[in-house]
């Protein structure tokens, strides 16, 4: 074993190292299993005293004081809920390490904490997008990626502090090895290896700063954490390099990365703000935490207890992700009602303020989506609950005789004897109600849970309000400068593609004249021209894309722009002809342009690269296509290529080893499927060997 490593291990108090990695990973697996119950979670948590104490501490914080002192672990697990438990378990290991650093190293501690939290969020977001099997494992690895720096601060407070003070927290590993004899990545990876956990967590920590070329064929977790670590310290000087790395590793475009960066950093800054932490840069580019002298000790104390704080934040924001579709938000609310309170059959009615009607909301249940209730007194139990701003049930509430038929219909749809109605109200905004099926025998249990249900309904309403306000803000915002800039960029791109296309065509003709004995360099030149075309493609809307969530997008124009860009490189290289059948009545729809563009780019590239001797790619758009009762816009991308092999077709949208050779990650269709989900859309594929492949995308027609 390396002498420097032995020296460090001798200084570490092994009794202070986290003892729960197996318990932690067991919990992650349990969270992913839909059959896991609260008794199962309690049994796992009870295996470790430290983790049990953290869970109990979080449950007995001021946020949960209405439940009194909670001492029963099973009761605690139910009160906290799944998302809060995840937050606690994900932060347990690092909390012990952060608490060991002396106050004199406080600024370094705070910056490292900030970067670790950002890396964790980036890793989980990228994992979900690329179809990685365990986003929670990616989050945990991101949280631990600077573990070695904490150890070095503890073991070499003077030497390592001086190094950090001179070179910021992003000190290069070469300097660490020169001064101390080992890098923080190596020591962090070694400690994780001693935990005997499965997977590539230790490797991801060790190779977090390696060049992209060195990790191209490594495991997915290594690549995810490497990119997440770079994004966590993104600045104007490094953004070009990092965006190129994202494109090389996963084929992700700059506009999409900018949108992800904005979302993640807003979330991290919100968490940090609750602790009084705000990251800044000195004139020498050294990262520091902005805080007054009188705030330092308070911040340090808060960081030492950040598990409890993060649990609180996780509890009140578990459904407040503005970036997900509304049906996902409502789906989480219904799921949590089932898990926390046993309300297994639920329906949501949202208030339409234009005509003051409660409208049934459902993505799949047609009968429910057709129900509507006048928002007037005594028209329904649902209307009364929202008007009176309190929870009502059909067994204890007197309504006019006869009982409104609409209430009987709702109970029938819920397959229950009666119902309880939970109003959704946030900041004096009446948003709607949740109705849940109820039997008379359930009333005693319901009464005992009314306080917790009331607290839950407020947070559920806040999540819907956040989503609605974000949507309204985006629709009301018009960025004229960005639009003008985009027009100029498109003109430049158009002019650049013309000579690229001509050069590619002449190279192709030259290759035919020279035959098989022609110089290999012609092919290399064509590849580089192809690469230039791809780089130009990523520039077409790179500016201002962060704020394009739910802008009105002209899909036909977007497709025309993409085809124009591909003609100069990709299509010419693969001898592809494009056929466009675009519905001229297609309206602009409210959708994220970067996500849609990335989705179409992946599918068009996949179609073109399927050819070996040329062919046709046909793109069709059509308005008002119905999936059940859902009105959609359809995009169809067809090719007359060889089709997918049966082995690939079975797992089409799962991460695979690419069959296209070097330079292809095998993640294009996985990312396409995840992007379609994020856009609240549906994607399907029909592939017939030797006939061709057709991808169909259905997007909500939100104009």
């Amino acid at each position: 074993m390396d002498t420097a490593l032995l020296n460090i291990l001798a200084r570490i108090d092994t009794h202070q190292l986290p003892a729960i990695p197996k318990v932690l990973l067991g919990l992650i697996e349990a969270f992913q299993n839909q059959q896991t119950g609260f008794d199962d979670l309690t049994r796992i948590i009870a295996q470790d005293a430290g983790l049990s104490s953290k869970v109990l501490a979080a449950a007995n914080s001021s946020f949960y004081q209405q439940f009194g002192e909670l001492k029963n672990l099973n009761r605690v697990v139910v009160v906290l809920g799944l998302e809060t438990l995840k937050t606690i378990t994900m932060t347990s290991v690092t909390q012990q390490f952060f608490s060991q650093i002396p106050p004199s190293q406080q600024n370094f501690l705070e910056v490292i904490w900030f970067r670790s939290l950002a890396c964790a969020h980036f890793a989980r977001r990228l994992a979900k997008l690329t179809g990685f099997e365990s986003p929670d494992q990616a989050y945990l690895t991101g949280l631990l990626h600077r573990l070695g720096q904490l150890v070095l601060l503890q073991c070499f407070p003077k030497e390592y502090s001086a190094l950090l003070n001179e070179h910021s927290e992003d000190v290069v590993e070469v300097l660490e090895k020169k001064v101390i004899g080992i890098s923080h990545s190596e020591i962090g990876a070694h400690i994780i290896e001693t935990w005997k956990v499965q997977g590539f967590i230790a490797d991801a920590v060790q190779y977090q700063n390696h060049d992209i070329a060195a990790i191209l064929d490594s495991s997915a977790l290594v690549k995810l954490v490497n990119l997440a670590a770079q994004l966590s310290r993104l600045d104007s000087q490094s953004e070009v390099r990092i965006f190129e790395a994202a494109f090389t590793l996963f084929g992700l475009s700059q506009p999409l990365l900018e949108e992800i960066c904005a979302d993640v950093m807003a979330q991290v800054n919100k968490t940090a703000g609750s602790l009084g932490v705000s990251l800044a840069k000195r004139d020498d580019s050294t990262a520091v935490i902005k805080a007054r002298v009188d705030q330092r000790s308070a911040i340090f104390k808060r960081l030492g207890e950040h598990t409890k704080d993060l649990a609180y934040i996780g509890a009140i924001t578990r459904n407040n992700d503005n970036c997900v579709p509304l049906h996902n938000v409502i789906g989480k609310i219904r799921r949590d009602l089932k898990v926390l309170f046993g309300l297994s059959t639920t329906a949501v009615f949202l208030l339409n303020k234009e005509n003051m009607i409660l409208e049934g909301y459902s993505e799949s249940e047609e009968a429910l989506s057709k129900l509507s209730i006048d928002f007037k007194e005594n028209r329904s139990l649902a209307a009364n609950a929202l008007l009176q701003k309190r929870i009502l049930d059909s067994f204890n509430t007197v309504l006019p005789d006869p009982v409104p038929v609409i209430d009987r219909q709702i109970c029938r749809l819920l397959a229950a004897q009666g119902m309880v109605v939970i109003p959704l109200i946030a900041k004096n905004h009446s948003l709607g109600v949740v109705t849940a099926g109820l039997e008379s025998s359930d009333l005693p249990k319901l009464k005992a849970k009314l306080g917790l249900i009331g607290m839950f309904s407020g947070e559920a309403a806040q999540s819907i309000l956040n989503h609605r306000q974000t949507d309204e803000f985006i629709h009301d915002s018009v960025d004229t400068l960005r639009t003008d800039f985009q027009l100029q960029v498109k003109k430049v791109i158009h002019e650049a593609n013309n000579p690229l296309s001509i050069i590619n065509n002449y190279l192709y003709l030259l290759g035919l004249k020279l035959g098989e004995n022609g110089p290999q360099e012609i092919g290399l030149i064509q590849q580089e021209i192809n690469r230039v075309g791809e780089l130009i493609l990523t520039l077409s809307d790179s500016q201002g894309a962060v704020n394009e969530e739910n802008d009105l997008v002209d899909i036909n124009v977007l497709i025309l722009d993409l085809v124009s860009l591909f003609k100069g490189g990709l299509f010419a290289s693969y001898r592809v002809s494009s056929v466009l059948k675009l519905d001229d009545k297609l309206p602009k729809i409210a959708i994220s342009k970067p996500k849609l563009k990335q989705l179409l780019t992946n599918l068009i590239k996949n179609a073109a690269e399927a050819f070996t001797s040329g062919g046709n790619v046909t793109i069709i758009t059509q308005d008002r296509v119905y999936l059940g009762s859902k009105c959609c816009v359809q995009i169809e991308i067809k090719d007359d290529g060889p089709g997918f092999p049966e082995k690939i077709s079975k797992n089409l949208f799962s991460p695979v080893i690419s069959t296209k050779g070097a330079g292809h990650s095998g993640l294009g269709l996985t990312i396409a499927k995840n992007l379609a989900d994020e856009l609240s859309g549906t994607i399907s594929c029909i592939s017939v060997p030797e006939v061709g492949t057709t991808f169909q995308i259905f997007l909500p027609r939100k104009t």
Side-chain angles (χ1 to χ4, degrees), residues 107 205 345 363 563 689:
N107 185 70
V205 171
T345 56
E363 289 286 316
V563 170

Side-chain angles (χ1 to χ4, degrees), residues 299-577:
I299 291 176
F300 183 74
K301 183 178 180 181
R302 292 291 305 280
L303 282 172
E305 300 174 349
H306 76 282
T307 296
K308 186 187 300 184
D309 292 82
L310 284 177
Y312 169 80
I313 294 166
I316 64 174
T317 60
R318 58 181 174 271
N319 289 317
N320 288 0
D321 186 353
N322 303 335
C323 305
V324 300
L326 181 59
H327 76 266
N328 283 2
V329 174
I330 291 177
K332 288 181 181 180
I333 292 171
R334 297 179 67 188
R335 179 204 67 186
D336 287 351
L337 282 169
K338 180 178 180 180
V339 172
L340 290 173
F341 312 114
L343 300 175
S344 56
T345 56
T346 55
V348 175
F349 290 81
L350 297 180
L351 180 61
N352 184 330
K353 291 190 176 182
E354 290 184 5
N355 50 23
M356 297 307 287
I357 288 177
L358 284 166
E359 299 174 336
Y361 181 91
S362 176
E363 289 286 316
S364 57
E365 301 167 27
E366 186 176 356
L368 178 62
S369 63
K370 290 182 177 180
L371 294 182
S372 60
I373 305 166
D374 263 353
F375 189 48
K376 297 177 182 178
E377 190 174 2
N378 293 333
R379 294 299 291 265
S380 165
L381 190 67
N384 279 12
L386 191 56
L387 285 167
Q388 297 174 25
K389 300 182 179 181
R390 63 191 182 100
I391 299 173
L392 299 177
D393 69 81
S394 58
F395 297 100
N396 295 311
T397 305
V398 179
L399 284 176
D401 188 21
V403 174
V405 171
I406 185 67
D407 286 356
R408 299 185 187 278
Q409 288 182 295
I410 295 172
C411 289
R412 180 174 57 80
L413 287 173
L414 296 173
Q417 181 182 356
M419 65 177 171
V420 58
V421 183
I422 305 165
L424 298 172
I425 302 170
K427 298 178 180 177
N428 293 321
H429 291 272
S430 295
L431 301 167
V433 298
V434 179
T435 60
L438 196 67
E439 304 298 328
S440 58
S441 58
D442 296 329
L443 285 174
K445 295 179 182 178
L446 176 69
K447 186 176 180 181
K449 297 176 181 178
L450 284 179
L452 185 56
I453 292 175
M455 180 188 70
F456 174 87
S457 68
E459 300 310 325
Q462 185 64 53
S463 67
I464 296 174
L465 179 62
N466 288 351
H467 187 282
R468 181 170 293 178
Q469 289 178 336
T470 301
D471 195 47
E472 290 173 356
F473 172 78
I474 293 170
H475 274 87
D476 293 340
S477 300
V478 179
D479 193 340
T480 305
L481 289 176
R482 183 183 61 193
T483 303
D484 291 342
F485 179 83
Q486 292 298 334
L487 290 174
Q488 294 300 319
V489 169
K490 288 176 181 178
K491 290 179 181 178
V492 172
I493 290 172
H494 178 74
E495 294 301 321
N497 272 310
N498 286 335
L500 282 177
S501 181
I502 294 171
I503 294 170
N504 229 333
N505 290 334
Y506 273 108
L507 285 171
Y508 173 66
L509 294 173
L510 181 59
L512 291 178
K513 289 182 179 180
L514 295 175
E516 295 181 357
N517 297 323
Q520 186 179 3
E521 285 78 4
I522 290 179
L524 294 176
I525 295 172
Q526 287 178 315
Q527 290 178 13
E528 289 304 307
I529 291 176
N530 239 6
R531 183 168 176 271
V532 171
E534 289 181 345
L535 290 174
I536 290 176
L537 179 64
T538 66
L539 296 176
S540 64
D541 61 351
S542 61
Q543 297 294 325
V546 172
N547 296 319
E548 286 185 346
E549 181 76 22
N550 291 340
D551 273 347
L552 291 176
V553 176
D554 190 323
I555 294 177
N556 286 344
V557 171
L558 178 59
I559 291 172
L560 288 169
D561 289 344
L562 285 173
V563 170
S564 175
L565 292 168
F566 278 129
K567 279 183 178 178
L570 186 71
F571 284 2
S573 178
Y574 288 91
R575 288 171 289 180
V576 170
S577 297

Side-chain angles (χ1 to χ4, degrees), residues 106-171:
Q106 187 173 340
N107 185 70
F108 302 127
L109 172 70
E110 293 162 357
V111 175
I112 292 170
W113 174 85
F114 190 95
R115 300 293 195 206
S116 299
L117 191 63
C119 182
H121 282 288
F122 275 120
R124 180 157 57 190
R125 184 71 177 269
L126 292 170
K128 289 181 178 179
L129 182 60
T130 58
F132 181 63
E133 59 188 8
S134 179
D136 287 337
Q137 186 186 67
Y139 180 94
L140 172 64
T141 310
L143 203 60
L144 295 174
H145 84 295
R146 290 177 180 262
L147 180 63
Q149 286 193 308
L150 299 175
V151 174
L152 292 177
L153 267 177
Q154 181 190 6
C155 297
F156 302 97
K158 292 183 179 180
E159 300 94 327
Y160 199 59
S161 293
L163 200 59
L164 292 176
N165 197 48
E166 184 177 354
H167 299 283
S168 85
E169 88 285 357
D170 293 325
V171 57

Side-chain angles (χ1 to χ4, degrees), residues 52-53 67 78 133 188 206 222 275 349 353 365 376 406 615:
S52 298
S53 67
F67 304 105
V78 173
E133 59 188 8
Q206 181 161 355
V222 171
L275 301 173
F349 290 81
K353 291 190 176 182
E365 301 167 27
K376 297 177 182 178
I406 185 67

